[in-house]
Structure formats: structure tokens, C-alpha cells
Amino acid sequence: MARGPGVGRTVDGVGVDQQPAAGDAARTDPQPGRRPYVPVVVKFVAAQTLAVGWLAVSIWLSLPWVRELADTITIVPAIVVVCLVAYLPGWLVAFLAVSLLLDRQPPLRDSSPAVPVTVVIAARNEAERIQETIAYVAGQDYAGPIEVLVVDNGSTDGTRTVAEAFGAATGQPVRCISEPRPGKSHALNTGLAAVGTELVITLDADTLLHPRAVRQLVARLLSAPPDVQAVAGSVLVRNSRDTLWTRMQEWDYFLGIASVKRMQGLYQGTLVAQGAFSLYRAKAVLAAGGWPDAIGEDIVLTWQLMRNGARVYYEPSAVAFTAAPARLVNLARQRARWARGMIEGLRSVKPWDQPRWLLRFLTAIDLLIPALDVAYALVWLPGLALATTGRYWIVGPYTLAVLPLTLVVNLILYRFQRRRVFNLLGLRVRRNTMGFVGFVLAYQVLMSPIAVVGYGQELLGLRRRWK
């Protein structure tokens, strides 16, 4: 494993070279005119056309399965089951695959911006980690000034003292303020009120930045149209060698989450500018009311920004490394929070309230996700158990036909991540075969029931916050 550049630390899950290779700026900014411009609407229509074509072929091939299932549970339930476990997932995966193939990010107009940036870190009892997080901010190759603003959210372990002492010892500008009210949203809003720069980055206290992360993130925002008010960074797993759970999450972050964000970014509506590492225009966040007191405060804020007319981009080469939950119980709590956060977003801003039709489409997909998770947990898993006894009523050759397409999506994104992100940043993908097998075969089996629990908690109004 190589050391993290400039700070004498290591990041698990990937190897980090000491310096980016020469000529990176040229690869970051391909020359205009090398490819003809294809409007986003044309890409959307092409992706939908091919996805619907895949759906039509799937329906035609699966008619014998539908008839056989109808003989067992009658026709209407049979159609509903097949739609939820095969047709809709197949259409979504096909749409995702074609969208990834069509995705071409516009070149950066300025690959080395120098505008001032404030990095806000909401921290509660992070004395053991805060120095490393600040050190990686100090190791940025960004040309402009970066101020670190640590918001101590009621810590009892001396987090503020450690951060201030580390900043004084290293020369990195570190300002600390306190917010005694518990809750990340309160800490972020207090930090936002104290920010003096136009641009603000939120960073989790356990998240480490690649040396080029801030530069790539700011360059993408400044190269974007004026209505782009936020850019989500790419978050990967830093502790992938801890347990089998972190090994599987490495692939989820590297392939699953990144593929969805790339698709949403292509259609200029990244649905979550995650609090772990994202860039915002401070005025836009203030106009949206700041971060709400919610479990998914970053989701709700992003949807409020978009309802106000903003677009949100995603920059895959602005990479940060976060500590993923190492135990199943902690992973379950995290994913249940994410599920609840999505429901909060749907409640706060309905898909039909979004001003752009592409946003209405993207957020409407989130209306389907809970139904698909419920179907997976309550229909597909029992169907899998029946298949082991020779009863292929639900899980059989037709449902398994979605797997090759899923592998195609993973291959497309793997090649992109390796060639266009990791090679650019001087990173390497380390072997993690066990994690990949677990991710493909078992991860969704576990995550869907957990998500269903989260949906149920939110819909029932259970406000207990899992920590």
C-alpha cells in the first residue's frame, strides 16, 4: 500500500501514488471539438428507447412464465409479481447501462481554480480522527486559499482543542466554533452562518480527501452553467480490508453508488449532494433554508435546491475516502437511515413539484425504489427459497436474465473508474474478489429487507435516530 500524498498516512481500499502523473491536466480537460456535442435530451431519448426495447423483448420472452405463474396465483397477481421482480428492474438496469455508455462530461474550462473555499467539518467526539482529516485538507494541491471550519457539536473528548492545536502546529488555517444543540443539521447551519467565502465544502470528520479532490470539485462547478449550485464528490471506502462487510461496501461505493450518480449527473440532477463531501454555493444553500432537521438532511437540501431551480452535478474525479461501517448492525443502521432520508426527500419535495421534467423523471424513480425493495424482500427472496425445491414460480431463468445486464453495467463503470478516474489520480484498484462475489450475490439480499425496515419507520413516524 502506498502512502497518501504529503501527509504520511495510508488509505485502505486503494493504493495512492505520491504524485499525480505528468500531463494530468491535459487528460482532465480534453480538447473541445474532439466529439460532436449530443444534447442531454437526445441521450435521454436514446437511453429510454433502448431500455424500452429491452423491456419489450423481456415481456415477449417471459409470456410462458407469466401464464405458468397465473395458473398458480391467478393472472393479476402474476402480472404484478413479474413487473416488480423482472420487468421494472430490467428496464431500470438497461436504462442505466445505456446512460453510462452515453455519458461524456464536458471539459473543464479552468483545471486550476484559485477562488477561496471554506471546508466545514461538523464534528462530535472526533478527537482521534480530526487531525488526520485536517491533514488531508492541508495536503490539497489547490491553488487558492482553503480555510477549515470545525463545528464542535457538543463534543466531550476535546475535539475542538485537538483541532485548534493541530492547525496551529501545521500552519493550516483552522477556525473552530461550537454548536451545543445535537444534530448534524444544526452544526452545518451554524457553520454556514460563519462562512465568509462564496463556496463551501462539507466534509465528514472521518473522511479523507485525495490531494486533487478540492481542485476537481471547484473546477467542475466553475466550468458549469450559472444555475449549477452544487457538485457532489465521489466517496469511496477507505477501510475495505477491515471485514467482509467493508469489502462488499467497497464495490457498492465504487460501482453501485457511483453508477447511479453518474447517470443522474448526465441528466443534470444528482439527487444527493452528500454531506460527506460536496461543494455548494453558500447563497443557494441559505436561500433553500439550509440543512433541515432531518435524518437525510443532505437529501432534503438537495431536493430543495433543485426545486428552487438549481442543477446539481457530480464529479467522479473529486475523490474522498470514508470509513464504512465494519459491523452488520452498524451497516444496517446506516442503510435504514438512507432509506428514511429518501422518504423524507419525497415528502418534502414531491417529484411533480420539480421545475424540470428530467428532474421529475429522476425523482419519480425514487417512488419506485421502495416498491422494488418490498418486492425483493417479500417476493423474490421467498421465490428463491422455492427455487431451491424445484418450484421456479418466481425465481427462474427469466428473472436471472437480469444478472448478465447487471454485470455489463458493473463492467462499464469499472472500466470508466479505472481509466478515467483512478489512472488520472494516480490510484490503483486492489484485488478484492471475495468482496465482489459477496456484493453481486449477497449484498442486495441483505440491503433490501433493511431498507424496508427504514421505509416502515419513516412512514410510521418513528423519529428515533440510529447512531
Side-chain angles (χ1 to χ4, degrees):
M1 183 191 309
R3 289 183 177 275
V7 292
R9 301 286 183 181
T10 58
V11 179
D12 205 357
V14 294
V16 186
D17 289 343
Q18 286 283 3
Q19 295 292 340
D24 281 346
R27 290 200 299 273
T28 305
D29 297 312
Q31 293 298 318
R34 293 176 64 181
R35 296 188 184 95
Y37 173 72
V38 180
V40 171
V41 173
V42 174
K43 293 180 180 180
F44 177 83
V45 171
Q48 281 289 16
T49 300
L50 292 174
V52 170
W54 172 274
L55 176 61
V57 172
S58 300
I59 293 174
W60 177 65
L61 291 175
S62 66
L63 289 177
W65 172 33
V66 175
R67 286 192 289 267
E68 181 182 352
L69 185 59
D71 290 339
T72 305
I73 62 175
T74 72
I75 185 63
V76 174
I79 292 175
V80 172
V81 166
V82 174
C83 283
L84 290 175
V85 302
Y87 295 161
L88 283 176
W91 165 71
L92 282 174
V93 174
F95 176 71
L96 178 61
V98 179
S99 296
L100 293 178
L101 288 173
L102 295 174
D103 184 28
R104 295 291 186 275
Q105 283 195 304
L108 299 174
R109 292 200 300 267
D110 181 3
S111 61
S112 188
V115 298
V117 178
T118 301
V119 177
V120 175
I121 304 174
R124 178 179 174 83
N125 293 332
E126 297 286 357
E128 293 184 0
R129 304 186 193 186
I130 196 68
Q131 293 186 64
E132 187 176 31
T133 303
I134 297 173
Y136 273 79
V137 176
Q140 293 297 294
D141 68 354
Y142 188 65
I146 301 177
E147 180 186 37
V148 175
L149 177 60
V150 177
V151 184
D152 183 13
N153 193 203
S155 298
T156 58
D157 65 348
T159 295
R160 176 170 183 168
T161 301
V162 171
E164 290 175 332
F166 186 76
T170 59
Q172 166 64 39
V174 176
R175 183 160 51 108
C176 295
I177 59 177
S178 296
E179 171 49 69
R181 293 175 296 171
K184 188 175 181 180
S185 62
H186 296 309
L188 290 175
N189 287 328
T190 298
L192 181 65
V195 167
T197 57
E198 177 188 353
L199 303 183
V200 58
I201 291 174
T202 58
L203 182 67
D204 278 358
D206 62 355
T207 301
L208 309 181
L209 298 180
H210 183 276
R212 294 182 60 167
V214 171
R215 172 153 64 106
Q216 298 297 114
L217 204 61
V218 175
R220 177 56 60 198
L221 180 64
L222 297 184
S223 300
D227 61 351
V228 176
Q229 302 295 329
V231 180
S234 175
V235 179
L236 303 177
V237 174
R238 58 180 282 201
N239 59 328
S240 64
R241 297 308 186 260
D242 285 0
T243 66
L244 177 61
W245 305 114
T246 58
R247 285 178 176 271
M248 289 191 289
Q249 287 175 84
E250 178 176 51
W251 289 109
D252 186 26
Y253 279 75
F254 186 72
L255 297 178
I257 295 173
S259 64
V260 172
K261 282 189 173 292
R262 272 193 64 209
M263 180 271 288
Q264 294 172 348
L266 167 64
Y267 302 120
Q268 302 172 356
T270 304
L271 296 188
V272 186
Q274 69 283 339
F277 179 49
S278 290
L279 172 68
Y280 307 86
R281 294 189 185 273
K283 290 183 179 179
V285 177
L286 288 170
W291 287 269
D293 183 14
I295 291 174
E297 72 283 330
D298 48 3
I299 299 175
V300 178
L301 171 63
T302 305
W303 289 31
Q304 294 283 9
L305 288 171
M306 294 189 300
R307 182 168 63 177
N308 288 351
R311 286 188 285 177
V312 179
Y313 276 9
Y314 167 64
E315 178 49 54
S317 66
V319 173
F321 303 93
T322 192
R327 299 170 56 209
L328 178 58
V329 63
N330 296 327
L331 175 59
R333 289 170 177 172
Q334 180 196 67
R335 297 312 164 101
R337 285 199 308 270
W338 290 4
R340 295 182 68 176
M342 188 177 73
I343 299 299
E344 286 177 326
L346 290 168
R347 280 177 162 177
S348 65
V349 184
K350 309 298 188 295
W352 47 87
D353 289 336
Q354 293 290 352
R356 296 171 52 239
W357 67 269
L358 276 173
L359 286 179
R360 290 194 289 272
F361 170 80
L362 293 174
T363 52
I365 289 178
D366 278 1
L367 288 173
L368 295 176
I369 299 302
L372 295 178
D373 279 329
V374 170
Y376 195 93
L378 302 182
V379 178
W380 197 91
L381 290 179
L384 183 62
L386 287 172
T388 62
T389 66
R391 298 177 178 85
Y392 302 107
W393 299 334
I394 297 173
V395 176
Y398 297 106
T399 51
L400 296 179
V402 177
L403 290 179
L405 189 59
T406 303
L407 291 175
V408 168
V409 171
N410 289 333
L411 177 61
I412 293 170
L413 194 70
Y414 178 85
R415 286 174 57 84
F416 173 87
Q417 293 281 67
R418 190 185 64 183
R419 296 174 61 184
R420 301 292 298 275
V421 177
F422 271 40
N423 288 350
L424 170 69
L425 300 178
L427 303 175
R428 58 185 174 84
V429 182
R430 298 199 311 189
R431 186 173 299 175
N432 182 7
T433 305
M434 183 183 301
F436 182 75
V437 172
F439 169 67
V440 172
L441 298 181
Y443 195 74
Q444 189 62 32
V445 172
L446 294 168
M447 293 304 107
S448 286
I450 290 169
V452 171
V453 171
Y455 301 140
Q457 287 180 321
E458 187 61 30
L459 292 174
L460 292 173
L462 301 178
R463 303 302 299 171
R464 175 173 174 258
R465 293 172 184 261
W466 285 7
K467 298 294 183 183

